[in-house]
């Protein structure tokens, strides 16, 4: 009989030295009857709750094998929803530290979690582009919302209306009617354009931040304008350099994208960047919405909610339509259905000092103060002024301007 060999089995026991993970957000939780003191962070597959006053770890919510990617406390402060890398969601009780509810519906990592104001529903977004609404009380899924073409970055439920707004890496902000479970409006306003002209040179280089992930197999589309070759590119870059020359791109998903241009010809290259929407915030009684993307501009939108004051029981007179009017009537009806709930228009923009992409947009309970931070070490706090405060500031500016002119 031959000699037998013994192999030792090595198994992971404990982790040490971990304060917080890189893939997960940070949120305050109410623990032991105190608010604003304890912070929950994702640490590998576990969730640590730290005491910010003493700098000590007071509670560990044990996970399984997958890394934590998203945290969201319940409105009553008694539970904490935890999203994982494999798409599962677990709800922990902050009183006992145990998980009693587990949701499995996503195929990729959970990237967004939010509760409704009452805490009975939980909305989750994932890298698989789906948005799922869960029933926390009955511990089941209600419905799945499909419409985004890339990972969902944030989701918000309006407090007074049964509406949901989501943002994604596909540069879109979508409004959902949870009563009918469909998307009734899509906001498209996060695009930039960079132009450069090649005056007979063999190669053209455009330097700028062009974000997005939309390109064909070659990363470019050809055309002819005024007898010269024109390349229109929607490059998939994570910030970098767009180089145009007499060659075809090799890797459309690399950090350097190329656009085919005829050598020694006067050509114009148009690079249209698509900025992913990384953050959302509702202001002024949910009548202003702020979006943060990959540039230093915070885009503001005005939301007007339409109230149907007419009596639906009264019969409406219909006019006879000709064959030419029938084709355009269908499009008009679709636009009318969107405007029945709300109208959303571009209001303006706020320029940040930070130049990197937005990581988080957060507001306080009064929706008066807005905090924004990006990839750099800068936190910017904005204050939303009412009409009276704006009028006072304008008067001061006019007085200063008159003094300077004298």
């Amino acid at each position: 009989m031959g000699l037998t060999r013994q192999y030792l089995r090595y198994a992971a026991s404990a982790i040490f030295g971990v304060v917080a993970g890189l893939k997960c957000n940070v949120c305050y939780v109410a623990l032991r009857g105190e608010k604003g003191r304890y912070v929950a962070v994702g640490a590998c597959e576990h969730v640590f709750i730290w005491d910010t006053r003493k700098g000590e770890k007071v509670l560990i919510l044990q996970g399984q094998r997958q890394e934590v990617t998203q945290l969201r406390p319940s409105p009553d402060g008694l539970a904490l929803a935890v999203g994982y890398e494999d798409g599962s969601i677990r709800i922990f009780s902050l009183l006992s530290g145990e998980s009693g509810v587990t949701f499995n519906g996503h195929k990729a990592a959970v990237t967004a979690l939010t509760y409704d104001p009452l805490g009975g529903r939980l909305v989750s977004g994932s890298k698989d582009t789906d948005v799922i609404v869960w029933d926390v009380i009955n511990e089941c899924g209600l419905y799945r919302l499909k419409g985004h073409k890339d990972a969902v970055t944030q989701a918000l439920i309006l407090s007074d209306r049964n509406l949901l707004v989501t943002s994604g890496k596909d540069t879109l902000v979508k409004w959902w009617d949870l009563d009918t479970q469909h998307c009734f409006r899509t906001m498209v306003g996060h695009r930039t354009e960079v132009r450069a002209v090649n005056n007979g040179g063999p190669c053209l280089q455009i330097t700028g931040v062009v974000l997005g992930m939309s390109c064909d197999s070659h990363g470019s589309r050809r055309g002819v304008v005024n007898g010269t070759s024109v390349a229109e590119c929607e490059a998939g870059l994570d910030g970098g350099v767009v180089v145009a020359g007499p060659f075809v791109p090799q890797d459309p998903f690399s950090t350097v994208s190329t656009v085919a241009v005829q050598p020694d010809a006067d050509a114009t290259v148009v690079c249209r960047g698509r900025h992913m929407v990384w953050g959302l915030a509702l202001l002024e009684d949910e009548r202003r919405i702020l979006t943060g993307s990959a540039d230093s501009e915070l885009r503001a939108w005005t939301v007007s909610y339409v109230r149907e004051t007419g009596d639906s029981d009264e019969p409406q007179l219909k006019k006879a339509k000709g064959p030419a009017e029938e084709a355009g009537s269908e499009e008009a009806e679709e636009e009318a259905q969107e405007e029945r709930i709300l109208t959303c228009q571009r209001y303006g923009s706020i320029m940040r000092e930070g130049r990197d992409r937005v990581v988080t947009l957060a507001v306080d309970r009064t929706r008066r103060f807005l905090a924004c931070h990006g990839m750099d070490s800068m936190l910017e706090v904005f204050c939303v002024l009412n009409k009276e405060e704006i009028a006072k500031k304008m008067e001061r500016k006019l007085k200063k301007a008159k003094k300077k002119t004298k």
Side-chain angles (χ1 to χ4, degrees):
M1 182 177 178
L3 296 175
T4 59
R5 296 182 179 179
Q6 293 181 351
Y7 296 94
L8 299 178
R9 179 186 177 187
Y10 295 94
S13 59
I15 58 175
F16 61 92
V18 178
V19 177
L22 296 175
K23 296 182 179 180
C24 185
N25 62 324
V26 178
C27 62
Y28 275 99
V29 294
L31 194 65
R32 299 172 183 174
E34 295 187 16
K35 295 182 179 180
R37 178 176 178 177
Y38 301 98
V39 176
V41 299
C44 298
E45 69 273 15
H46 307 303
V47 177
F48 292 166
I49 297 180
W50 294 88
D51 188 345
T52 56
R53 295 181 184 177
K54 298 181 179 180
E56 298 177 355
K57 191 190 308 178
V58 296
L59 183 62
I60 299 178
L61 305 179
Q62 297 289 336
Q64 296 177 351
R65 296 182 179 179
Q66 301 296 329
E67 188 174 357
V68 178
T69 57
Q70 194 67 212
L71 298 174
R72 178 67 61 179
S74 61
D76 57 3
L78 300 178
L80 179 67
V82 182
Y84 293 90
E85 188 75 26
D86 60 347
S88 62
I89 302 171
R90 301 176 67 187
I91 298 179
F92 288 87
S93 173
L94 295 177
L95 300 177
S96 61
E98 298 180 357
S99 173
V101 181
T102 302
F103 296 131
N104 294 306
H106 291 291
K107 299 179 181 178
V110 178
T111 55
L113 285 175
T114 186
Y115 278 95
D116 68 346
L118 299 177
R121 291 178 299 177
L122 176 67
V123 178
S124 63
S126 172
K127 287 185 178 180
D128 60 4
T129 72
D130 290 346
V131 178
I132 302 178
V133 181
W134 307 91
D135 189 345
V136 179
I137 299 174
N138 296 325
E139 302 180 4
C140 63
L142 295 178
Y143 39 84
R144 186 187 301 265
L145 304 175
K146 294 186 177 182
H148 282 285
K149 298 180 181 179
D150 208 334
V152 180
T153 56
Q154 194 166 353
L156 295 174
I157 296 181
L158 276 67
S159 58
D160 298 333
R161 299 165 183 86
N162 198 20
L163 301 178
L164 172 69
V165 55
T166 59
S167 63
K169 291 185 178 180
D170 53 0
T171 74
L172 303 178
V173 177
K174 289 183 172 292
W175 291 83
W176 306 85
D177 188 356
L178 298 182
D179 292 330
T180 58
Q181 304 170 18
H182 82 288
C183 175
F184 63 90
R185 180 171 291 275
T186 301
M187 296 164 50
V188 181
H190 302 83
R191 295 174 182 267
T192 58
E193 188 169 293
V194 182
R195 292 177 178 268
V197 180
N198 182 17
N199 296 320
C203 184
L204 170 67
Q205 179 171 327
I206 310 169
T207 303
V209 178
V210 182
L211 296 178
M213 244 341 170
S214 174
C215 54
D216 55 9
S217 60
H218 296 292
S220 63
R221 293 183 294 186
R222 293 172 177 268
V224 177
V225 177
N226 297 329
T228 60
S229 64
V230 176
E232 179 177 335
C233 172
E234 293 186 6
L237 300 184
D238 290 331
V241 179
V242 180
V243 182
F247 42 81
V248 179
Q250 297 178 357
D251 186 5
F253 299 106
S254 62
T255 56
V256 177
S257 178
T258 56
V259 184
V261 179
Q262 292 181 0
D264 300 330
D266 294 337
T268 302
V269 178
V270 181
C271 297
R272 292 182 178 177
R274 308 196 313 160
H275 290 316
M276 308 174 189
V277 183
W278 291 97
L280 284 175
L282 291 171
L283 303 171
E284 295 184 9
D285 296 331
E286 299 177 346
R287 296 188 179 275
R288 295 281 190 275
I289 183 170
L290 226 64
T291 59
S293 58
D295 54 0
S296 58
E297 180 182 1
L298 296 178
R299 295 165 176 84
W301 309 78
T302 301
V303 181
S304 301
Y305 301 99
V306 179
R307 296 181 179 179
E308 297 181 358
T309 57
D311 191 359
S312 59
D313 296 335
E314 295 181 358
Q316 297 179 357
L317 298 177
K318 295 183 179 181
K319 297 180 180 180
K321 297 180 181 179
E325 297 179 355
E326 291 181 356
S329 62
E330 296 180 358
E331 298 180 356
E333 288 179 0
E334 292 180 358
E335 294 179 356
Q337 289 178 359
E338 293 180 357
E339 296 180 354
R340 286 177 188 174
I341 303 175
L342 59 85
T343 58
C344 191
Q345 296 179 354
R346 181 71 179 272
Y347 185 72
S349 60
I350 302 173
M351 300 305 298
R352 300 187 297 118
E353 293 187 7
R355 296 184 178 181
D356 293 331
R357 74 168 180 89
V358 172
V359 175
T360 304
L361 283 176
V363 295
D364 63 340
R365 294 182 179 179
T366 61
R367 301 186 186 276
R368 177 175 170 82
F369 294 96
L370 171 73
C372 172
H373 78 91
M375 298 293 291
D376 49 9
S377 59
M378 185 184 301
L379 175 65
E380 301 179 52
V381 180
F382 301 92
C383 178
V384 181
L385 303 179
N386 53 30
K387 293 182 179 180
E388 296 178 357
E389 293 174 342
I390 293 174
K392 290 181 180 178
K393 280 207 166 188
M394 291 301 296
E395 289 180 2
R396 293 175 184 174
K397 288 184 178 181
L398 291 175
K399 289 180 180 180
K400 289 182 179 178
K402 288 180 181 179
K403 290 180 179 179
K404 289 181 179 180
T405 55
K406 289 182 180 180

